[in-house]
């Protein structure tokens, strides 16, 4: 079995950033559908959710498999790292336009509201994120934009 440090090293590479966005979400959606919401493949490395948000421009439901950092207070942190690629991922624009969304967490659908973290609150969470998954530092160093960080909580 591949160790956590090896996975972190691989996920920090530019090659991973080029391939992963095309492969991992598709696999996650397929496995999630086949297991009726019980399994997200990438959650074997990091906790994960399937976010269903409303498209910022289309108004249509959009499903995005995402890594998350569960918090002790029952909220979740979502990180718009986009695998360290330029440009914010579309799901972040969706949450900015329509903060009410839904997540599938361990097979349970939960209505949530998203809040973009800024300033000191974002800085405090960012420090915890770097302990949780160190490759986020590499992703941030690779891009000029500030990676968006959201706290989602039950509605």
């Amino acid at each position: 079995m591949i160790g956590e440090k090896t996975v972190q090293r691989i996920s920090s590479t530019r090659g991973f950033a080029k391939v992963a966005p095309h492969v991992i979400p598709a696999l996650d959606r397929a496995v999630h559908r086949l297991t009726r919401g019980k399994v997200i493949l990438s959650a074997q490395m990091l906790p994960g959710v399937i976010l269903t948000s409303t498209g910022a421009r289309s108004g249509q439901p959009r499903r995005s498999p995402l890594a998350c950092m569960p918090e002790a207070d029952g909220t979740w942190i979502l990180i718009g790292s986009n695998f360290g690629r330029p440009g914010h991922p579309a799901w972040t624009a969706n949450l900015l336009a329509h903060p009410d969304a839904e997540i599938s967490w361990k097979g349970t659908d939960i209505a949530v509201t998203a809040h973009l973290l800024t300033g000191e609150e974002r800085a405090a969470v960012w420090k915890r994120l770097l302990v949780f998954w160190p490759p986020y530092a590499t992703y941030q160093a690779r891009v000029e934009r500030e990676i968006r960080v959201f706290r989602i909580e039950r509605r």
Side-chain angles (χ1 to χ4, degrees), residues 95 98-101 112-116 150-153:
L95 289 182
H98 306 283
D100 287 342
V112 296
T113 300
H115 306 280
L116 178 66
F150 291 85
R151 178 181 309 282
I152 56 172
E153 57 190 17

Side-chain angles (χ1 to χ4, degrees), residues 14 17 80-89 139 142-145:
R14 290 186 187 277
S81 68
N82 206 11
F83 297 94
R85 298 180 313 157
H88 295 289
Y139 296 168
R142 200 180 291 153
V143 296
E144 292 182 20
R145 65 184 173 86

Side-chain angles (χ1 to χ4, degrees), residues 3-140:
E4 184 176 336
K5 294 291 184 192
T6 301
V7 170
Q8 290 178 5
R9 215 173 10 261
I10 291 168
S11 70
S12 295
T13 66
R14 290 186 187 277
F16 183 85
K18 287 182 181 180
V19 174
H22 305 290
V23 176
I24 292 175
L27 285 173
D28 275 342
R29 280 190 287 271
V31 170
H32 186 259
R33 193 172 32 256
L34 290 171
T35 62
R36 296 187 180 136
K38 301 286 187 226
V39 177
I40 300 173
L41 196 60
S42 63
Q44 306 312 304
M45 292 185 301
L46 286 171
V49 299
I50 301 288
L51 171 71
T52 303
S53 58
T54 302
R57 288 183 287 200
S58 71
Q60 298 299 309
R62 301 292 183 215
R63 294 173 55 83
S64 305
L66 303 171
C68 69
M69 184 175 77
E71 295 274 77
D73 64 0
T75 63
W76 298 264
I77 301 298
L78 300 181
I79 310 91
S81 68
N82 206 11
F83 297 94
R85 298 180 313 157
H88 295 289
W91 65 264
T92 66
N94 296 347
L95 289 182
L96 290 173
H98 306 283
D100 287 342
E102 184 175 281
I103 60 168
S104 177
W105 170 250
K106 297 182 178 180
T108 302
D109 293 334
I110 302 168
V112 296
T113 300
H115 306 280
L116 178 66
L117 301 184
T118 59
E120 291 179 17
E121 185 180 20
R122 183 195 181 280
V125 168
W126 186 255
K127 286 180 186 175
R128 292 198 311 277
L129 281 168
L130 295 183
V131 171
F132 178 73
W133 190 246
Y136 287 134
T138 303
Y139 296 168
Q140 183 62 79

